[in-house]
Amino acid sequence: MQMIDQLHDGMTKAFAKHCFESSSVEKLRAAAEGKADSAEMKHWGITEGQWEEAVAAALADLEAGE
């Protein structure tokens, strides 16, 4: 989780780890191409930018493991 470990904000990092552990590459690619999920942002207490950063980091780490 090289990219996730570089995240500084605790909640962003926690959400990224959640995405990494519970999502597939395909699901994260689709999420990254779409709009930020407002329900997830509210649940995790993160902004749209933090959501995008977390999804991008989780996707990069999953792709690196392929």
Side-chain angles (χ1 to χ4, degrees):
M1 291 190 289
Q2 186 176 8
M3 295 301 293
I4 292 172
D5 289 340
Q6 293 180 20
L7 297 174
H8 297 291
D9 179 73
M11 290 308 293
T12 305
K13 186 181 281 191
F15 177 61
K17 285 182 180 180
H18 167 76
C19 291
F20 179 85
E21 294 169 354
S22 66
S23 297
S24 66
V25 169
E26 293 78 19
K27 184 176 177 181
L28 288 177
R29 282 183 186 149
E33 293 173 5
K35 295 173 69 176
D37 186 308
S38 59
E40 287 180 335
M41 290 187 301
K42 183 176 180 179
H43 175 80
W44 287 90
I46 57 176
T47 66
E48 182 175 349
Q50 290 169 314
W51 185 93
E52 291 170 351
E53 185 178 23
V55 169
L59 177 57
D61 283 345
L62 277 174
E63 288 178 329
E66 285 187 326

